Amino acid sequence: MTSSPIAPPSPTLPTHDCSSSYPMTPQAARLARQHTRRRLTSWQWQGDIDDAVLVVSELVANAARYGKVAGHHVGLRLALTEDGGLLVDVSDPVLEFPGFGTGVWAGGAPGESGRGLLVVRRLALHVGWFLRAEQGKTVRARLRG
């Protein structure tokens, strides 16, 4: 597993791909978990669906909490790759990602923030982020199939 401030492009073309958006509320993570479980099951993904659901939940919850900007949503993209892997992209409208290199977000009390990203890093093969041309950033996690 590696982490970098810039997520590399997908190594292979997606065989399945879907995108959705959620309101910037605490309920976003629950909705994203449900959607992810249904989608990966319908795609008959061979990877660990529970791990994927946890990664999605943590990234969406963090985007909804730290990327909150009025009038914007959390974006989620799931894509299965030719080699059986899963790409999870979670987008928000904020350009910065303070504390990404340490796994701790700015603004949280010590010991209360950043644990979700540590979990994501343990479950994913790669975790990184990149700026989007439209606005904001995308956090990308790649999971093994």
Side-chain angles (χ1 to χ4, degrees), residues 1-3 85 120-127 141-145:
M1 189 276 314
T2 61
S3 295
V120 170
R121 286 179 168 154
R122 293 217 184 255
L123 297 176
L125 296 171
H126 176 86
V127 180
R142 179 170 168 75
L143 285 84
R144 179 177 290 117

Side-chain angles (χ1 to χ4, degrees), residues 112-124:
E112 290 183 12
S113 92
R115 287 181 286 195
L117 185 57
L118 294 174
V119 169
V120 170
R121 286 179 168 154
R122 293 217 184 255
L123 297 176

Side-chain angles (χ1 to χ4, degrees), residues 21-142:
S21 64
Y22 305 96
M24 292 274 190
T25 66
Q27 293 79 17
R30 179 181 53 81
L31 296 170
R33 282 192 302 271
Q34 293 170 345
H35 172 240
T36 299
R37 186 172 300 283
R38 280 194 310 267
R39 183 62 63 171
L40 295 180
T41 299
S42 73
W43 287 345
Q44 298 177 356
W45 184 53
Q46 298 300 304
D48 189 322
I49 292 177
D50 289 335
D51 284 356
V53 167
L54 182 56
V55 166
V56 166
S57 181
E58 293 295 342
L59 293 179
V60 168
N62 286 326
R65 181 175 179 191
Y66 297 104
K68 192 174 221 169
V69 173
H72 291 273
H73 289 81
V74 176
L76 170 64
R77 175 179 175 250
L78 302 172
L80 297 187
T81 60
E82 291 174 330
D83 64 359
L86 173 67
L87 292 179
V88 175
D89 288 349
V90 176
S91 302
D92 68 57
V94 175
L95 293 172
E96 301 87 27
F97 199 153
F100 177 82
T102 62
V104 178
W105 276 274
E112 290 183 12
S113 92
R115 287 181 286 195
L117 185 57
L118 294 174
V119 169
V120 170
R121 286 179 168 154
R122 293 217 184 255
L123 297 176
L125 296 171
H126 176 86
V127 180
W129 68 284
F130 54 94
L131 296 177
R132 294 182 301 138
E134 314 85 65
Q135 178 183 8
K137 68 178 170 302
T138 296
V139 178
R140 172 170 288 165
R142 179 170 168 75

